[in-house]
Amino acid sequence: MGTAPYDGGVIGRNHPYYPFLAAMLEAAHLAKGIHAYYLEKGFTHGTKSGPTDLVTQADHESEEAIKDLLLSHFPEAGFLGEEGGSEGGKALRFIVDPLDGTVNYAHGFPFYGVSIALEVEGKIQVGVVLDTSRDEAFYAVRGEGAFLNGRPIRVTKRKELLGSLLATGFPYDVAKDPENLTYFHRALSQGLLVRRPGAAALDLVYVAAGRLEGFWEVKLNPWDVAAGWLIVEEAGGKVTDLEGRPYRLGHRYIVATNGEIHEALIQTLLGR
Ligand code: IPD
Ligand code: CA
Ligand code: CA
């Protein structure tokens, strides 16, 4: 361990979760190498749920590399990965999206990364999201704050929804499940500034880092949000469902903001 440029030392090496954070950062950097390798070499891709839901060699190989590394350090842990599914127990488990933003990646659009969370007894305790094209490592350990490449990050203090920068995303089967088109339309019709960057894990950590005031999406999976959720909260932000109730993994709706605009954003999305 310890080959990653930001090895989590800011958390304190005696912290019980330090070994996990260090290994998760190392695993994320392994994925970075694999993402870069296949971009350079070229890759084949297949499809999953539909013609636009892509999966590449980089998705599969990064997940294998992350799993091998983490389970070699923590053989007692379970693992939930987007590509390989679930194995092992749930008391202590890693939740991994090996390449979030695959469509961006496949087009050479540099907004994608890897998301790795550690869940202990049903609660996320450590989150790492690495933007593998920019080498920006966002991470948090519960109760210890959030960091970007070793420096603390905070959400913005902006109070007005109008003029806030927001992001959202859409499921691949948006034609079958168009609910978010309604929210998107409402937000744009109110003159709100909304982006659709295409990598939910990065959208979340951009809220944490104060680059966005808010993000919402419908129908994300646990691997998309597990790490970013903790990072937003540790950066002082708020993460709920669409009714303002505390977010739970697997919930259909997620709204993550700087806290200040939270209620106003929910009201706008719901058309109230
Ligand atoms: C997708 C991205 C995208 C979101 C989709 C996700 P993937 O993940 O996070 O931003 O809108 O809902 O499925 O397929 O690139 O890992
Ligand atoms: Ca994803
Ligand atoms: Ca993915």
Side-chain angles (χ1 to χ4, degrees), residues 37-60:
Y37 174 78
Y38 279 108
L39 261 195
E40 179 74 25
K41 177 176 178 269
F43 51 82
T44 57
H45 66 74
T47 57
K48 294 199 284 186
S49 62
T52 59
D53 185 0
L54 305 182
V55 60
T56 70
Q57 287 155 301
D59 296 75
H60 288 296

Side-chain angles (χ1 to χ4, degrees), residues 48 59 82-83 97-102 223-224:
K48 294 199 284 186
D59 296 75
E82 176 174 11
E83 308 307 337
D97 189 336
L99 175 41
D100 186 45
T102 298
W223 47 80
D224 298 310

